[in-house]
Each structure stands twice: as structure tokens, then as C-alpha cells.
Amino acid sequence: MDLQSLSGLVGRGDSTLSQAGSSKTTLSADSLSKISPALAKARERVVAQEQSTATSLSVLGKYKSALASLVGTAGGLGRLGSGSTPAAVQSALEAFAADYNSAISGAREAFAQGGSNLGSSTLLGDLRRALNQRTAPPTLHALGIRAQADGTVKLDAAALKTALAANGKGVTGALSQFGAAVGKLAEGGLSSSSRLTSALSSLGNRLTALKKQEDALLSAATKLSNSRTTSAKTSTDPTILKAQQLLQQAYQGTQGS
């Protein structure tokens, strides 16, 4: 089907499209395909891009949420002091370990979504270095923080209890310093100038633009379908001209596929 046939099909007021109105939710993919395979294919491409963008937004949103939680629990370590009970220390460290592991997993997923452009690979390395840099006594290993092969951590409660009994003040001091270091890294990843924040904004704008593009395609087809005008009016009406432009773009976008 060429462009002239396509425009003629939707221009003569096809009943399926006319009944659909301007709302994209009332027009099924099957109905649109019957009206215009080219237009249906163009919409299919836009929808696929919407879904891909939404998936990326979801992954980065989870990563951002994990970083925000890590800021909180890292701060909890930073507030530990000589007056903290063993139970409070263990609870704070367990909460931190869970959020640290979520941040590590989130950074890895973000990297798979193109995270080298988001700084996630850099933050991933920084978090691991922060975990390994505590070499002065008591070391993190002595405090029961065990680094796993996948970059996550596991808490050895028995080792932590032993360390607290031997040097409670030293333990809380070390954890406070470690928490402050990790919290600062996580805050950097969440800052308004971070690449993660920029990427989230960019993806959000792209998703909005794609949804508008999909609406415009369907609206254009509806207006053409509902316009029972003469060829002269069709050639001069700005609304119809815009609709024809969108149809032509949709048709050309399907060529060579």
C-alpha cells in the first residue's frame, strides 16, 4: 500500500477509527492494523520504545531508592558511640548490610542498562574500596563484616559480639567512620548534579515525548478519518496537513523493515 492509498483509507471515514474517537485507549492494535498496517507498525515501534524506556526508568529508580536507603543506614552507623548497646550496634550493622547489598545489586543492574554513563560502575568500585580500606585495628573483618565474592557483605554476629566485648569503643568508632565514608559516596550518587539524576530526568522526558508521539499518531488518523472534506479543503486545513505529515512519517518509517 502506498501513501496515497493509506491517506485515502483513513480519509474516507473508516467506521472502526471513527468510533475510536481521540482516545488511544479505545483503539485496539488489531483495529488500527485493519485501517492501516503502516500506521499500526509505526505505533508498534513507538510502544516498544515506551516499554524499553519505562524498563530503564524502573531499574534506575530502584537503584536510586537503594542509594537513598543506604544513606540512612550508613548514617545510623555514624551515630553509634560508646554508649550504644551491643544489640543496637548489631541492629544498625544488619540494616546497613542489607542496604549496602541492595545498592551493590542496583549498581550492577544500572551498569547493565548503560551504567558506565551513569557513574554506577565508578560508585560500585568506590563502595568496594571503602569496604576494603579499613585496615587499621579493628578491621572490618574483625568486626564481622565479611565481603562476598559478588561484592556484597555478610554479617558474622559471633565475631561482632567478640569484638564488642574486647573493645566496644574501638568497634563503634570504626563503624562510625566506615558509615560516614559510605554515606558520603551514596549521597554523591544522589546529588542533583550526578549522572544518575541526569539520566532519570532524560529518560522521564523521553517517555513523555514518546507517549505524546503515540497520541499524535492516533489523533492524526482519527482527524483524517472524521474529516469528510473536499480535496481543496484537505490541502489547506492546517490540522489535516499536520495529520498527513504524521502519516507520511509513519509510512516512511516502515520502509526497509
Side-chain angles (χ1 to χ4, degrees):
M1 178 182 293
D2 59 20
L3 179 59
Q4 183 177 2
S5 300
L6 170 62
S7 297
L9 180 60
V10 297
R12 66 172 184 258
D14 182 278
S15 60
T16 305
L17 185 55
S18 296
Q19 293 168 5
S22 60
S23 174
K24 70 178 181 179
T25 59
T26 61
L27 182 60
S28 70
D30 183 61
S31 295
L32 184 59
S33 183
K34 290 177 181 178
I35 296 165
S36 163
L39 186 56
K41 193 169 185 178
R43 183 197 183 190
E44 182 181 341
R45 288 180 175 179
V46 172
V47 170
Q49 291 177 52
E50 285 181 25
Q51 293 172 340
S52 175
T53 303
T55 297
S56 295
L57 268 173
S58 177
V59 169
L60 298 192
K62 286 168 58 180
Y63 176 37
K64 179 180 179 179
S65 179
L67 287 181
S69 294
L70 182 59
V71 169
T73 49
L77 290 185
R79 289 187 292 273
L80 293 174
S82 57
S84 301
T85 65
V89 173
Q90 181 173 335
S91 178
L93 195 50
E94 287 174 343
F96 168 82
D99 286 341
Y100 180 91
N101 291 343
S102 293
I104 289 292
S105 298
R108 190 175 293 112
E109 286 186 69
F111 182 76
Q113 288 284 330
S116 58
N117 297 323
L118 307 177
S120 58
S121 59
T122 300
L123 182 59
L124 187 62
D126 287 344
L127 288 173
R128 288 174 172 170
R129 278 190 288 276
L131 183 63
N132 296 322
Q133 279 176 349
R134 180 71 195 183
T135 56
T139 64
L140 293 177
H141 188 273
L143 300 181
I145 302 176
R146 305 284 190 256
Q148 306 298 294
D150 62 358
T152 60
V153 297
K154 184 177 181 180
L155 177 61
D156 184 336
L160 176 62
K161 183 178 180 180
T162 299
L164 283 168
N167 182 11
K169 184 177 181 179
V171 169
T172 54
L175 290 177
S176 180
Q177 292 176 16
F178 177 59
V182 172
K184 185 176 181 179
L185 290 171
E187 286 175 348
L190 294 170
S191 70
S192 59
S193 60
S194 72
R195 283 180 282 181
L196 173 60
T197 298
S198 177
L200 284 167
S201 176
S202 178
L203 285 170
N205 291 338
R206 174 171 170 74
L207 185 59
T208 297
L210 286 168
K211 289 182 180 299
K212 287 182 178 179
Q213 183 179 350
E214 183 188 3
D215 285 342
L217 283 169
L218 294 178
S219 177
T222 302
K223 288 174 182 176
L224 278 174
S225 174
N226 292 333
S227 65
R228 301 174 184 277
T229 60
T230 64
S231 58
K233 177 173 175 54
T234 300
S235 66
T236 58
D237 189 321
T239 299
I240 303 305
L241 288 174
K242 178 62 176 177
Q244 288 177 326
Q245 283 182 341
L246 287 167
L247 280 173
Q248 183 160 357
Q249 290 168 5
Y251 174 77
Q252 291 175 341
T254 62
Q255 301 309 293
S257 299

